[in-house]
């Protein structure tokens, strides 16, 4: 939790740590916390606002910056703003077609009694879009002025308030999703840089493509998570096939010269400012863990974790 990290800051500093990236720490419905219920509150499982403030203060005194995870594409179906399960006094988007948050989400009318939310045909006559089809995380309509005000442009917007609370930047979940309209990330950049010109913004974008490269032109986000580096390192070091995570010509061993070519490609593709601040990683919450991938043996816990000989290899 946050207090636990705070207590180990001296150790982290001694290890050479100069930045800490947290997965989502805001109030959420599950332990992965990508189903945010309230973007204005620290999840009680991780601590309190005081714990966050103390961590920021102590980290700053040691020259350690804190990067937060911004999940602005979707939120929990149990959020008061959506309120599928009627846990809040707020009239959520799922509860009524006249909810002030109705336009924040994409609803579809269905036959009465076959939906999960209120629709034109009654209390259970609508379904809604969830990210990757998961009904626990309804997708936000980022083209709506009210949504952009909440996250970006209002005086107390989410993007602004946590930078003003001491965070040194944002890592933006699924930033390349096409549902983010033109101008969204430009507005985000303006808001964040106005709050702190030195704040770092990091895009969760994976493969080299036009979406990733458009993020790094200097008018949107500063840099990207460098999954391309991860892919190259695994290709060089993995003892066999591995999960390519959608990368082309991947999932297999490569030569040292191929590895060098892939690193050169990364260097050539990114502007200096983006390249010099890439979020380099070898595993994450979205991938197999590195130790698992580099351990020889069958894809089982017994072989990957329980076999001392394999682990030692």
């Amino acid at each position: 939790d946050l207090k636990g990290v705070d207590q180990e800051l001296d150790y982290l500093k001694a290890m050479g740590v100069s930045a800490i990236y947290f997965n989502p720490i805001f109030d959420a419905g599950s332990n992965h916390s990508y189903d945010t219920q309230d973007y204005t509150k620290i999840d009680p499982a991780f601590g309190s606002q005081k714990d966050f403030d103390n961590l920021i203060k102590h980290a700053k005194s040691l020259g350690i910056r804190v990067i937060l995870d911004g999940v602005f594409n979707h939120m929990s179906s149990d959020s008061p703003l959506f309120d599928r399960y009627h846990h809040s006094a707020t009239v959520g988007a799922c509860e009524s077609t006249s909810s002030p948050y109705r336009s924040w989400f994409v609803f579809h009318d269905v036959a009465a009694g076959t939906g999960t939310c209120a629709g034109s045909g009654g209390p259970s006559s609508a379904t809604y879009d969830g990210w990757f089809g998961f009904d626990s995380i309804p997708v936000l309509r980022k083209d709506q002025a009210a949504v952009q005000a909440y996250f970006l442009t209002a005086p107390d917007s989410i993007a602004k308030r946590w930078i003003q609370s001491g965070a040194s930047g944002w890592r933006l979940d699924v930033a390349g999703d096409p549902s983010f309209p033109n101008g969204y990330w430009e507005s985000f950049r303006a808001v964040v840089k106005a709050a702190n010109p030195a704040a770092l913004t990091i895009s969760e974008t994976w493969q080299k493509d036009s979406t990733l490269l458009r993020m790094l032109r200097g008018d949107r986000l500063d840099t990207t998570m460098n999954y391309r580096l991860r892919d190259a390192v695994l290709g060089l070091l993995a003892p066999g096939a591995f999960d390519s995570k959608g990368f082309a010509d991947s999932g297999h061993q490569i030569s040292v010269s191929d590895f060098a070519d892939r690193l050169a490609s990364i260097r050539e593709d990114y502007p200096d400012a983006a390249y010099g601040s890439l979020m380099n990683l070898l595993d994450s919450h979205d991938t197999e863990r590195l130790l698992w991938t580099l351990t020889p043996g069958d894809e089982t816990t017994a072989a990957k974790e329980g076999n001392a000989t394999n682990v030692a290899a």
Side-chain angles (χ1 to χ4, degrees), residues 14-199:
M15 291 285 287
V17 171
S18 59
I20 298 170
Y21 156 57
F22 284 113
N23 284 160
I25 62 172
F26 308 126
D27 184 38
S30 65
N31 60 0
H32 62 70
S33 294
Y34 281 90
D35 52 348
T36 311
Q37 294 177 157
D38 190 337
Y39 293 87
T40 69
K41 296 179 180 178
I42 301 294
D43 194 299
F46 303 139
S48 64
Q49 183 66 47
K50 182 179 179 181
D51 294 328
F52 177 83
D53 294 341
N54 285 336
L55 171 61
I56 292 292
K57 180 175 68 174
H58 299 151
K60 184 177 180 179
S61 71
L62 294 172
I64 297 175
R65 294 175 171 84
V66 173
I67 307 295
L68 300 182
D69 203 316
V71 188
F72 298 170
N73 180 67
H74 46 265
M75 64 168 49
S76 172
S77 58
D78 205 20
S79 166
L81 307 188
F82 196 83
D83 209 14
R84 173 175 172 177
Y85 303 103
H86 316 298
H87 289 161
S88 171
T90 302
V91 180
C94 184
E95 295 178 291
S96 172
T97 56
S98 60
S99 166
Y101 306 106
R102 185 72 176 189
S103 64
W104 290 33
F105 305 92
V106 179
F107 289 94
H108 307 280
D109 276 341
V110 295
T114 62
T116 52
C117 292
S120 61
S124 300
S125 63
T127 57
Y128 54 89
D129 287 353
W131 186 77
F132 258 71
F134 293 109
D135 63 358
S136 60
I137 41 179
V139 173
L140 288 154
R141 291 186 60 192
K142 282 79 67 181
D143 60 339
Q144 296 294 295
V147 173
Q148 293 193 19
Y150 179 80
F151 285 102
L152 307 181
T153 58
D156 60 345
S157 72
I158 300 305
K160 186 184 304 182
R161 71 155 56 207
W162 290 103
I163 297 295
Q164 292 174 335
S165 293
S168 293
W170 288 100
R171 174 267 191 191
L172 289 313
D173 190 52
V174 297
D177 194 276
S179 62
F180 285 98
N182 291 334
Y184 186 95
W185 293 121
E186 290 88 341
S187 294
F188 173 84
R189 181 180 186 84
V191 166
V192 169
K193 298 298 184 180
N196 178 4

